[in-house]
Amino acid sequence: NAGVMQNPRHLVRRRGQEARLRCSPMKGHSHVYWYRQLPEEGLKFMVYLQKENIIDESGMPKERFSAEFPKEGPSILRIQQVVRGDSAAYFCASSPETGVGPTDTQYFGPGTRLTVL
Amino acid sequence: DQQVKQNSPSLSVQEGRISILNCDYTNSMFDYFLWYKKYPAEGPTFLISISSIKDKNEDGRFTVFLNKSAKHLSLHIVPSQPGDSAVYFCAASAGGGATNKLIFGTGTLLAVQP
């Protein structure tokens, strides 16, 4: 059973370009979460999606950032007009369902390290 | 506002001894707590979790203790092994609602000396 897949693992962009980060959840998981880890900090929640729905985007910056989880295909985190402050590790996690208990456990992918020059 | 705090940035322990990692939280709505282990350049790996209705959960060498009145939890690793050397993150969620987002602490770097 493959784990959470993320690609690319490393992404270099120049200021003003667009960055697209992809996440394929574990088989059987329908919930996807995106987190960002800035240097020397912990992981910060960005957005929680189910298929074709954004459930909670309270951690997303108001501008330039968007996320989707289409009916078919991976979840995409899109950053438009990147700036140097967007340089970070972006982690995707998936879980089978919500509610209290073991099924809530979020399993993380290896991350995408974005560097903005 | 840091709702989940890990006040020790690092911890060094001898192989075979007990490692105790601590975590404090401020939000009384948190009802589910998790510990993740992270190696450099990898994603966090789930270790162990505990619901707020319990005060202890054990899985092999790992035990998590929860003290709700003190809003404190700890992870015990015994015996510690060199392969346990990693950054350990405490995380919490307020389950039962529409969202299941995790709030993470800043991590504790554990170094287990051979």
Side-chain angles (χ1 to χ4, degrees), chain B residues 31-85:
Chain B
D31 58 6
Y32 193 55
F33 303 90
L34 308 91
W35 284 94
Y36 286 86
K37 171 181 176 180
K38 187 180 181 301
Y39 294 116
E42 294 185 12
T45 301
F46 170 72
L47 275 178
I48 192 169
S49 62
I50 188 166
S51 166
S52 60
I53 61 174
K54 296 185 175 181
D55 55 18
K56 177 182 175 181
N57 189 25
E58 191 172 355
D59 184 2
R61 297 186 297 114
F62 302 92
T63 303
V64 55
F65 296 92
L66 175 62
N67 182 334
K68 283 182 62 180
S69 61
K71 294 191 177 66
H72 177 84
L73 65 156
S74 60
L75 174 67
H76 292 210
I77 306 172
V78 55
S80 301
Q81 300 173 354
D84 296 330
S85 297

Short mmCIF file of all heavy atoms in Angstrom, two decimals, chain B residues 31-85:
data_model
loop_
_atom_site.label_atom_id
_atom_site.label_comp_id
_atom_site.label_asym_id
_atom_site.label_seq_id
_atom_site.Cartn_x
_atom_site.Cartn_y
_atom_site.Cartn_z
N ASP B 31 -8.97 17.66 21.89
CA ASP B 31 -9.39 16.38 22.46
C ASP B 31 -8.67 15.19 21.84
O ASP B 31 -9.02 14.03 22.11
CB ASP B 31 -10.91 16.21 22.35
CG ASP B 31 -11.40 16.30 20.92
OD1 ASP B 31 -10.57 16.39 20.01
OD2 ASP B 31 -12.63 16.29 20.72
N TYR B 32 -7.70 15.45 21.01
CA TYR B 32 -6.95 14.35 20.40
C TYR B 32 -5.53 14.84 20.19
O TYR B 32 -5.31 15.94 19.67
CB TYR B 32 -7.59 13.97 19.06
CG TYR B 32 -7.13 12.67 18.47
CD1 TYR B 32 -7.18 11.49 19.18
CD2 TYR B 32 -6.64 12.62 17.17
CE1 TYR B 32 -6.76 10.29 18.64
CE2 TYR B 32 -6.23 11.42 16.61
CZ TYR B 32 -6.30 10.27 17.35
OH TYR B 32 -5.89 9.07 16.79
N PHE B 33 -4.57 14.02 20.63
CA PHE B 33 -3.17 14.43 20.62
C PHE B 33 -2.33 13.35 19.95
O PHE B 33 -2.58 12.16 20.11
CB PHE B 33 -2.69 14.65 22.06
CG PHE B 33 -3.52 15.66 22.82
CD1 PHE B 33 -4.63 15.24 23.54
CD2 PHE B 33 -3.20 17.00 22.79
CE1 PHE B 33 -5.41 16.15 24.23
CE2 PHE B 33 -3.97 17.93 23.48
CZ PHE B 33 -5.08 17.50 24.19
N LEU B 34 -1.34 13.81 19.21
CA LEU B 34 -0.51 12.89 18.45
C LEU B 34 0.96 13.28 18.60
O LEU B 34 1.29 14.44 18.81
CB LEU B 34 -0.87 12.91 16.96
CG LEU B 34 -2.33 12.73 16.57
CD1 LEU B 34 -3.05 14.07 16.47
CD2 LEU B 34 -2.43 12.01 15.22
N TRP B 35 1.81 12.30 18.46
CA TRP B 35 3.26 12.52 18.37
C TRP B 35 3.74 12.01 17.01
O TRP B 35 3.39 10.91 16.58
CB TRP B 35 4.01 11.79 19.47
CG TRP B 35 3.90 12.45 20.81
CD1 TRP B 35 3.00 12.18 21.80
CD2 TRP B 35 4.74 13.50 21.33
NE1 TRP B 35 3.22 12.99 22.89
CE2 TRP B 35 4.28 13.81 22.63
CE3 TRP B 35 5.84 14.20 20.83
CZ2 TRP B 35 4.87 14.78 23.43
CZ3 TRP B 35 6.43 15.16 21.62
CH2 TRP B 35 5.95 15.45 22.91
N TYR B 36 4.56 12.86 16.38
CA TYR B 36 5.17 12.51 15.11
C TYR B 36 6.68 12.61 15.26
O TYR B 36 7.19 13.44 16.01
CB TYR B 36 4.73 13.47 14.00
CG TYR B 36 3.32 13.27 13.51
CD1 TYR B 36 2.24 13.87 14.15
CD2 TYR B 36 3.06 12.50 12.38
CE1 TYR B 36 0.95 13.70 13.69
CE2 TYR B 36 1.76 12.32 11.90
CZ TYR B 36 0.72 12.93 12.57
OH TYR B 36 -0.57 12.75 12.10
N LYS B 37 7.36 11.79 14.50
CA LYS B 37 8.81 11.78 14.46
C LYS B 37 9.23 12.22 13.05
O LYS B 37 8.60 11.81 12.06
CB LYS B 37 9.28 10.36 14.74
CG LYS B 37 10.73 10.05 14.54
CD LYS B 37 10.93 8.55 14.85
CE LYS B 37 12.33 8.10 14.60
NZ LYS B 37 12.48 6.65 14.92
N LYS B 38 10.26 13.04 12.98
CA LYS B 38 10.65 13.54 11.66
C LYS B 38 12.17 13.51 11.50
O LYS B 38 12.91 14.08 12.31
CB LYS B 38 10.13 14.97 11.46
CG LYS B 38 10.35 15.50 10.05
CD LYS B 38 9.83 16.89 9.90
CE LYS B 38 10.05 17.41 8.48
NZ LYS B 38 11.46 17.41 8.09
N TYR B 39 12.59 12.86 10.42
CA TYR B 39 13.99 12.90 10.03
C TYR B 39 14.18 14.04 9.03
O TYR B 39 13.25 14.45 8.35
CB TYR B 39 14.41 11.58 9.37
CG TYR B 39 14.40 10.39 10.29
CD1 TYR B 39 13.53 9.32 10.08
CD2 TYR B 39 15.26 10.31 11.39
CE1 TYR B 39 13.53 8.21 10.91
CE2 TYR B 39 15.26 9.20 12.22
CZ TYR B 39 14.39 8.16 11.98
OH TYR B 39 14.39 7.08 12.81
N PRO B 40 15.41 14.56 8.92
CA PRO B 40 15.67 15.63 7.95
C PRO B 40 15.27 15.21 6.54
O PRO B 40 15.46 14.07 6.14
CB PRO B 40 17.19 15.82 8.06
CG PRO B 40 17.55 15.34 9.42
CD PRO B 40 16.61 14.20 9.70
N ALA B 41 14.68 16.14 5.81
CA ALA B 41 14.31 15.95 4.41
C ALA B 41 13.25 14.86 4.21
O ALA B 41 13.10 14.35 3.11
CB ALA B 41 15.52 15.66 3.54
N GLU B 42 12.55 14.50 5.27
CA GLU B 42 11.44 13.55 5.15
C GLU B 42 10.18 14.15 5.77
O GLU B 42 10.24 15.14 6.49
CB GLU B 42 11.77 12.23 5.84
CG GLU B 42 12.90 11.47 5.19
CD GLU B 42 13.10 10.11 5.85
OE1 GLU B 42 12.24 9.67 6.62
OE2 GLU B 42 14.15 9.48 5.57
N GLY B 43 9.04 13.52 5.49
CA GLY B 43 7.81 13.94 6.12
C GLY B 43 7.69 13.37 7.52
O GLY B 43 8.36 12.42 7.88
N PRO B 44 6.82 13.97 8.35
CA PRO B 44 6.59 13.44 9.70
C PRO B 44 6.00 12.03 9.63
O PRO B 44 5.16 11.74 8.78
CB PRO B 44 5.59 14.42 10.30
CG PRO B 44 5.70 15.66 9.49
CD PRO B 44 6.05 15.20 8.11
N THR B 45 6.45 11.18 10.54
CA THR B 45 5.94 9.82 10.65
C THR B 45 5.14 9.68 11.93
O THR B 45 5.65 10.01 13.01
CB THR B 45 7.11 8.81 10.67
OG1 THR B 45 7.87 8.94 9.48
CG2 THR B 45 6.59 7.38 10.78
N PHE B 46 3.92 9.20 11.82
CA PHE B 46 3.06 9.04 12.99
C PHE B 46 3.65 8.01 13.95
O PHE B 46 4.09 6.93 13.54
CB PHE B 46 1.66 8.60 12.55
CG PHE B 46 0.77 8.17 13.69
CD1 PHE B 46 0.27 9.12 14.57
CD2 PHE B 46 0.46 6.84 13.88
CE1 PHE B 46 -0.54 8.73 15.62
CE2 PHE B 46 -0.35 6.45 14.93
CZ PHE B 46 -0.85 7.39 15.80
N LEU B 47 3.65 8.36 15.24
CA LEU B 47 4.17 7.46 16.27
C LEU B 47 3.06 6.88 17.13
O LEU B 47 2.89 5.67 17.24
CB LEU B 47 5.14 8.21 17.18
CG LEU B 47 6.58 8.33 16.76
CD1 LEU B 47 7.34 9.16 17.78
CD2 LEU B 47 7.23 6.96 16.61
N ILE B 48 2.34 7.77 17.80
CA ILE B 48 1.36 7.33 18.78
C ILE B 48 0.39 8.47 19.03
O ILE B 48 0.74 9.63 18.85
CB ILE B 48 2.07 6.89 20.09
CG1 ILE B 48 1.13 6.16 21.03
CG2 ILE B 48 2.74 8.08 20.79
CD1 ILE B 48 1.84 5.47 22.19
N SER B 49 -0.83 8.13 19.45
CA SER B 49 -1.82 9.16 19.72
C SER B 49 -2.57 8.84 21.01
O SER B 49 -2.46 7.72 21.54
CB SER B 49 -2.81 9.26 18.56
OG SER B 49 -3.52 8.04 18.39
N ILE B 50 -3.31 9.82 21.48
CA ILE B 50 -4.13 9.61 22.67
C ILE B 50 -5.35 10.49 22.60
O ILE B 50 -5.27 11.66 22.20
CB ILE B 50 -3.32 9.86 23.97
CG1 ILE B 50 -4.13 9.45 25.19
CG2 ILE B 50 -2.87 11.31 24.07
CD1 ILE B 50 -3.28 9.36 26.47
N SER B 51 -6.49 9.93 22.96
CA SER B 51 -7.72 10.69 23.07
C SER B 51 -7.81 11.32 24.44
O SER B 51 -7.24 10.79 25.41
CB SER B 51 -8.90 9.75 22.84
OG SER B 51 -10.12 10.36 23.23
N SER B 52 -8.54 12.40 24.55
CA SER B 52 -8.64 13.10 25.84
C SER B 52 -9.41 12.31 26.89
O SER B 52 -9.41 12.68 28.06
CB SER B 52 -9.29 14.47 25.64
OG SER B 52 -10.59 14.32 25.10
N ILE B 53 -10.07 11.24 26.49
CA ILE B 53 -10.79 10.44 27.48
C ILE B 53 -9.86 9.45 28.18
O ILE B 53 -10.27 8.76 29.11
CB ILE B 53 -11.98 9.68 26.85
CG1 ILE B 53 -11.48 8.71 25.77
CG2 ILE B 53 -12.99 10.65 26.28
CD1 ILE B 53 -12.58 7.82 25.21
N LYS B 54 -8.61 9.40 27.73
CA LYS B 54 -7.63 8.52 28.35
C LYS B 54 -6.52 9.34 28.99
O LYS B 54 -6.35 10.52 28.68
CB LYS B 54 -7.03 7.57 27.31
CG LYS B 54 -8.03 6.61 26.70
CD LYS B 54 -7.32 5.64 25.77
CE LYS B 54 -8.29 4.59 25.24
NZ LYS B 54 -7.60 3.62 24.36
N ASP B 55 -5.75 8.70 29.87
CA ASP B 55 -4.58 9.40 30.41
C ASP B 55 -3.27 8.70 30.06
O ASP B 55 -2.19 9.22 30.37
CB ASP B 55 -4.70 9.57 31.93
CG ASP B 55 -4.94 8.24 32.65
OD1 ASP B 55 -4.67 7.18 32.05
OD2 ASP B 55 -5.39 8.27 33.81
N LYS B 56 -3.37 7.58 29.37
CA LYS B 56 -2.16 6.86 29.00
C LYS B 56 -2.43 5.98 27.79
O LYS B 56 -3.51 5.36 27.68
CB LYS B 56 -1.70 5.99 30.18
CG LYS B 56 -0.48 5.12 29.92
CD LYS B 56 -0.15 4.26 31.14
CE LYS B 56 0.97 3.29 30.86
NZ LYS B 56 1.27 2.45 32.05
N ASN B 57 -1.46 5.92 26.89
CA ASN B 57 -1.54 4.99 25.78
C ASN B 57 -0.14 4.46 25.51
O ASN B 57 0.82 5.23 25.49
CB ASN B 57 -2.11 5.66 24.52
CG ASN B 57 -2.40 4.66 23.42
OD1 ASN B 57 -2.64 3.48 23.68
ND2 ASN B 57 -2.39 5.13 22.19
N GLU B 58 -0.04 3.17 25.31
CA GLU B 58 1.27 2.52 25.20
C GLU B 58 1.34 1.74 23.90
O GLU B 58 0.39 1.05 23.51
CB GLU B 58 1.47 1.60 26.40
CG GLU B 58 2.85 1.05 26.57
CD GLU B 58 3.00 0.31 27.90
OE1 GLU B 58 2.06 0.32 28.71
OE2 GLU B 58 4.07 -0.28 28.11
N ASP B 59 2.49 1.81 23.25
CA ASP B 59 2.71 1.05 22.03
C ASP B 59 4.19 0.69 21.96
O ASP B 59 5.02 1.49 21.55
CB ASP B 59 2.29 1.85 20.80
CG ASP B 59 2.42 1.04 19.51
OD1 ASP B 59 2.80 -0.15 19.56
OD2 ASP B 59 2.13 1.60 18.43
N GLY B 60 4.50 -0.52 22.41
CA GLY B 60 5.89 -0.95 22.39
C GLY B 60 6.74 -0.10 23.32
O GLY B 60 6.45 0.05 24.50
N ARG B 61 7.79 0.49 22.74
CA ARG B 61 8.70 1.32 23.55
C ARG B 61 8.15 2.72 23.81
O ARG B 61 8.77 3.49 24.56
CB ARG B 61 10.05 1.43 22.84
CG ARG B 61 10.80 0.11 22.68
CD ARG B 61 12.20 0.31 22.10
NE ARG B 61 12.18 0.88 20.76
CZ ARG B 61 12.65 2.09 20.47
NH1 ARG B 61 13.16 2.86 21.42
NH2 ARG B 61 12.60 2.54 19.23
N PHE B 62 7.04 3.05 23.20
CA PHE B 62 6.50 4.41 23.27
C PHE B 62 5.25 4.45 24.16
O PHE B 62 4.34 3.65 23.99
CB PHE B 62 6.15 4.92 21.87
CG PHE B 62 7.31 4.92 20.92
CD1 PHE B 62 7.57 3.83 20.10
CD2 PHE B 62 8.16 6.01 20.87
CE1 PHE B 62 8.65 3.83 19.24
CE2 PHE B 62 9.25 6.01 20.00
CZ PHE B 62 9.50 4.92 19.20
N THR B 63 5.24 5.42 25.09
CA THR B 63 4.07 5.64 25.93
C THR B 63 3.79 7.12 25.97
O THR B 63 4.71 7.93 26.15
CB THR B 63 4.32 5.14 27.37
OG1 THR B 63 4.67 3.75 27.33
CG2 THR B 63 3.06 5.30 28.22
N VAL B 64 2.53 7.47 25.79
CA VAL B 64 2.13 8.87 25.90
C VAL B 64 1.25 9.02 27.12
O VAL B 64 0.35 8.20 27.36
CB VAL B 64 1.43 9.38 24.61
CG1 VAL B 64 0.24 8.53 24.23
CG2 VAL B 64 1.03 10.83 24.76
N PHE B 65 1.53 10.05 27.92
CA PHE B 65 0.75 10.36 29.10
C PHE B 65 0.07 11.71 28.90
O PHE B 65 0.68 12.65 28.39
CB PHE B 65 1.67 10.45 30.33
CG PHE B 65 2.33 9.16 30.70
CD1 PHE B 65 3.59 8.83 30.19
CD2 PHE B 65 1.71 8.26 31.57
CE1 PHE B 65 4.22 7.64 30.53
CE2 PHE B 65 2.33 7.08 31.91
CZ PHE B 65 3.58 6.76 31.39
N LEU B 66 -1.19 11.78 29.32
CA LEU B 66 -1.95 13.02 29.18
C LEU B 66 -2.45 13.46 30.55
O LEU B 66 -3.11 12.68 31.25
CB LEU B 66 -3.13 12.83 28.23
CG LEU B 66 -4.08 14.02 28.08
CD1 LEU B 66 -3.36 15.24 27.51
CD2 LEU B 66 -5.27 13.65 27.20
N ASN B 67 -2.16 14.70 30.92
CA ASN B 67 -2.65 15.30 32.16
C ASN B 67 -3.53 16.48 31.76
O ASN B 67 -3.03 17.58 31.49
CB ASN B 67 -1.48 15.75 33.04
CG ASN B 67 -1.94 16.34 34.36
OD1 ASN B 67 -3.06 16.85 34.48
ND2 ASN B 67 -1.09 16.26 35.36
N LYS B 68 -4.84 16.24 31.69
CA LYS B 68 -5.74 17.27 31.19
C LYS B 68 -5.81 18.48 32.10
O LYS B 68 -5.91 19.61 31.64
CB LYS B 68 -7.14 16.67 31.00
CG LYS B 68 -7.29 15.83 29.76
CD LYS B 68 -8.71 15.32 29.61
CE LYS B 68 -9.71 16.44 29.46
NZ LYS B 68 -11.09 15.93 29.30
N SER B 69 -5.76 18.26 33.41
CA SER B 69 -5.88 19.39 34.33
C SER B 69 -4.70 20.34 34.17
O SER B 69 -4.83 21.55 34.32
CB SER B 69 -6.00 18.90 35.76
OG SER B 69 -4.84 18.17 36.13
N ALA B 70 -3.54 19.78 33.85
CA ALA B 70 -2.34 20.60 33.66
C ALA B 70 -2.14 20.99 32.21
O ALA B 70 -1.20 21.73 31.88
CB ALA B 70 -1.10 19.85 34.16
N LYS B 71 -2.98 20.47 31.31
CA LYS B 71 -2.84 20.69 29.88
C LYS B 71 -1.43 20.33 29.44
O LYS B 71 -0.72 21.13 28.81
CB LYS B 71 -3.20 22.13 29.49
CG LYS B 71 -4.66 22.49 29.69
CD LYS B 71 -4.98 23.83 29.01
CE LYS B 71 -6.45 24.17 29.13
NZ LYS B 71 -6.89 24.42 30.51
N HIS B 72 -1.05 19.12 29.78
CA HIS B 72 0.32 18.68 29.55
C HIS B 72 0.32 17.23 29.07
O HIS B 72 -0.44 16.39 29.57
CB HIS B 72 1.13 18.78 30.84
CG HIS B 72 2.53 18.28 30.72
ND1 HIS B 72 3.56 19.05 30.23
CD2 HIS B 72 3.07 17.07 31.01
CE1 HIS B 72 4.67 18.33 30.22
NE2 HIS B 72 4.41 17.13 30.70
N LEU B 73 1.15 16.95 28.08
CA LEU B 73 1.36 15.57 27.69
C LEU B 73 2.85 15.30 27.51
O LEU B 73 3.64 16.24 27.31
CB LEU B 73 0.57 15.16 26.45
CG LEU B 73 0.85 15.78 25.09
CD1 LEU B 73 0.39 14.84 24.00
CD2 LEU B 73 0.11 17.10 24.95
N SER B 74 3.19 14.04 27.63
CA SER B 74 4.59 13.67 27.49
C SER B 74 4.69 12.35 26.73
O SER B 74 3.78 11.53 26.75
CB SER B 74 5.27 13.56 28.85
OG SER B 74 4.64 12.57 29.65
N LEU B 75 5.81 12.21 26.05
CA LEU B 75 6.13 10.98 25.32
C LEU B 75 7.34 10.35 25.99
O LEU B 75 8.37 11.01 26.14
CB LEU B 75 6.43 11.28 23.87
CG LEU B 75 6.92 10.10 23.00
CD1 LEU B 75 5.80 9.07 22.82
CD2 LEU B 75 7.44 10.58 21.66
N HIS B 76 7.20 9.09 26.40
CA HIS B 76 8.30 8.36 26.99
C HIS B 76 8.78 7.30 26.00
O HIS B 76 7.95 6.54 25.45
CB HIS B 76 7.86 7.67 28.29
CG HIS B 76 7.54 8.63 29.39
ND1 HIS B 76 7.71 8.30 30.72
CD2 HIS B 76 7.10 9.91 29.38
CE1 HIS B 76 7.37 9.33 31.48
NE2 HIS B 76 6.99 10.32 30.69
N ILE B 77 10.06 7.25 25.80
CA ILE B 77 10.66 6.23 24.94
C ILE B 77 11.65 5.46 25.81
O ILE B 77 12.61 6.02 26.34
CB ILE B 77 11.42 6.87 23.75
CG1 ILE B 77 10.52 7.83 22.98
CG2 ILE B 77 11.94 5.77 22.82
CD1 ILE B 77 11.26 8.64 21.91
N VAL B 78 11.35 4.13 25.94
CA VAL B 78 12.27 3.34 26.76
C VAL B 78 12.33 1.91 26.24
O VAL B 78 11.28 1.31 25.99
CB VAL B 78 11.85 3.39 28.25
CG1 VAL B 78 10.41 2.94 28.43
CG2 VAL B 78 12.76 2.57 29.12
N PRO B 79 13.51 1.34 26.03
CA PRO B 79 14.80 2.03 26.10
C PRO B 79 15.06 2.84 24.84
O PRO B 79 14.62 2.46 23.74
CB PRO B 79 15.78 0.86 26.21
CG PRO B 79 15.12 -0.25 25.43
CD PRO B 79 13.64 -0.09 25.68
N SER B 80 15.77 3.93 24.97
CA SER B 80 16.11 4.76 23.81
C SER B 80 17.16 4.08 22.96
O SER B 80 18.07 3.42 23.48
CB SER B 80 16.62 6.13 24.28
OG SER B 80 15.64 6.77 25.07
N GLN B 81 17.04 4.27 21.65
CA GLN B 81 17.98 3.67 20.71
C GLN B 81 18.54 4.76 19.79
O GLN B 81 17.85 5.76 19.54
CB GLN B 81 17.27 2.60 19.86
CG GLN B 81 16.69 1.47 20.67
CD GLN B 81 15.85 0.52 19.83
OE1 GLN B 81 15.60 0.77 18.65
NE2 GLN B 81 15.40 -0.57 20.45
N PRO B 82 19.74 4.58 19.27
CA PRO B 82 20.31 5.62 18.38
C PRO B 82 19.40 5.96 17.21
O PRO B 82 19.33 7.11 16.78
CB PRO B 82 21.63 4.99 17.92
CG PRO B 82 22.03 4.10 19.05
CD PRO B 82 20.72 3.53 19.57
N GLY B 83 18.65 4.99 16.70
CA GLY B 83 17.72 5.24 15.60
C GLY B 83 16.54 6.12 15.96
O GLY B 83 15.81 6.58 15.08
N ASP B 84 16.38 6.37 17.26
CA ASP B 84 15.32 7.28 17.70
C ASP B 84 15.71 8.74 17.52
O ASP B 84 14.88 9.63 17.69
CB ASP B 84 14.97 7.03 19.17
CG ASP B 84 14.40 5.65 19.43
OD1 ASP B 84 13.74 5.10 18.52
OD2 ASP B 84 14.62 5.11 20.54
N SER B 85 16.95 8.99 17.21
CA SER B 85 17.42 10.37 17.05
C SER B 85 16.69 11.02 15.88
O SER B 85 16.78 10.58 14.73
CB SER B 85 18.93 10.39 16.79
OG SER B 85 19.63 9.87 17.90
#
